Amino acid sequence: MGDSEQRHRLVVYGAGAVGKTCIIQRFLKKTFTDHYKQTVEDLHCRDYNINGVSLKVDILDTAGTMSFPAMRRLSIATGHGFLIIFSIDSSGSFEEAKQIWEQIKELRSNYQDLPCVIVGNKCDLETKREVQYEDAQDWARSEGMESAYMETSAKLDRGISDIFQKLLEQAKIPEIRKLEPILKRRLSANSANLS
Ligand code: GDP
Ligand code: MG
């Protein structure tokens, strides 16, 4: 099997109710719901054919609690790229994000080369903010993730395509590199259509 037939697995981590499922739904289906349903683990598979280049992407939506340690270890071991989500109105969720990153560092010796974006979601809840932008950015930088802290609102559709685009930029996958300019145009066209 050639490299181009490989599936690229993106794993989405974060504490319960930070908005992991909403971010994925917003990205894939352009929808949002206020209704909360707990996730155990959901895999979304997408095959893209962009200008003749095939791109197979799996997005793994995780439970977001510490209650499935074996599942967590497996997804860390098999992931090609990671989104670590917290909610800006919950300092506890930021602490959990740090713990997840510690687990990734423990299990993946090449962690410095892994595409990883730290996401502060629910930025529409500015008045309830508990995690300062600078604090999250400083932490990401201190862990070697230069410019990899981004804020989103799945509710208002802010910054969602940017976090996926950032992951793709960081991925050292030849066919993704080739597609970068096209994807960039597509993603920005998509968000333009929504606003
Ligand atoms: P998960 O457990 O991390 O998958 O969290 P969900 O995606 O299920 O979302 C948990 C709750 O937060 C739901 O009630 C969502 O409607 C809400 N939520 C998700 N994203 C946002 C956001 O950007 N802003 C606000 N205000 N609420 C959000
Ligand atoms: Mg969920």
Side-chain angles (χ1 to χ4, degrees):
M1 191 165 83
D3 246 8
S4 57
E5 278 138 42
Q6 230 182 317
R7 301 202 68 92
H8 303 294
R9 174 172 285 216
L10 309 181
V11 193
V12 183
Y13 294 117
V18 296
K20 298 178 293 299
T21 301
C22 285
I23 285 174
I24 295 169
Q25 294 305 317
R26 180 58 95 181
F27 181 65
L28 293 176
K29 297 193 187 140
K30 319 285 175 217
T31 58
F32 178 81
T33 171
D34 278 315
H35 177 72
Y36 180 48
K37 187 170 157 278
Q38 217 176 324
T39 313
V40 174
E41 200 173 81
D42 279 333
L43 185 64
H44 305 271
C45 306
R46 288 286 184 283
D47 290 348
Y48 297 97
N49 193 300
I50 307 167
N51 291 12
V53 182
S54 141
L55 183 62
K56 296 170 187 297
V57 182
D58 293 343
I59 301 178
L60 184 67
D61 187 3
T62 65
T65 65
M66 296 302 188
S67 41
F68 304 99
M71 274 165 103
R72 163 93 43 115
R73 278 197 296 278
L74 183 66
S75 59
I76 290 175
T78 56
H80 296 112
F82 303 98
L83 287 177
I84 303 180
I85 321 268
F86 68 90
S87 177
I88 65 143
D89 67 334
S90 158
S91 46
S93 72
F94 183 45
E95 293 309 311
E96 204 166 313
K98 291 178 181 172
Q99 286 172 27
I100 294 158
W101 175 241
E102 288 303 317
Q103 284 188 16
I104 293 175
K105 283 190 350 191
E106 263 170 49
L107 286 165
R108 301 289 295 266
S109 54
N110 65 334
Y111 66 90
Q112 273 156 333
D113 302 325
L114 294 173
C116 183
V117 178
I118 307 300
V119 180
N121 188 42
K122 306 197 189 181
C123 69
D124 54 288
L125 300 179
E126 189 57 49
T127 54
K128 294 184 181 161
R129 183 185 282 274
E130 287 183 3
V131 182
Q132 299 309 312
Y133 187 97
E134 292 72 25
D135 292 343
Q137 190 176 51
D138 288 351
W139 174 72
R141 284 189 177 152
S142 71
E143 291 295 326
M145 295 180 269
E146 205 58 42
S147 74
Y149 174 61
M150 302 177 92
E151 294 199 341
T152 55
S153 168
K155 185 169 186 161
L156 302 182
D157 193 18
R158 296 281 148 74
I160 302 297
S161 55
D162 302 288
I163 58 177
F164 288 91
Q165 191 177 306
K166 189 61 135 190
L167 267 188
L168 291 177
E169 277 170 20
Q170 291 183 8
K172 294 183 178 67
I173 301 162
E175 77 265 28
I176 290 184
R177 285 256 146 135
K178 250 187 291 171
L179 286 172
E180 233 170 64
I182 303 163
L183 283 172
K184 234 176 230 175
R185 280 200 301 276
R186 288 233 166 162
L187 289 169
S188 47
N190 273 347
S191 15
N193 285 343
L194 283 167
S195 52

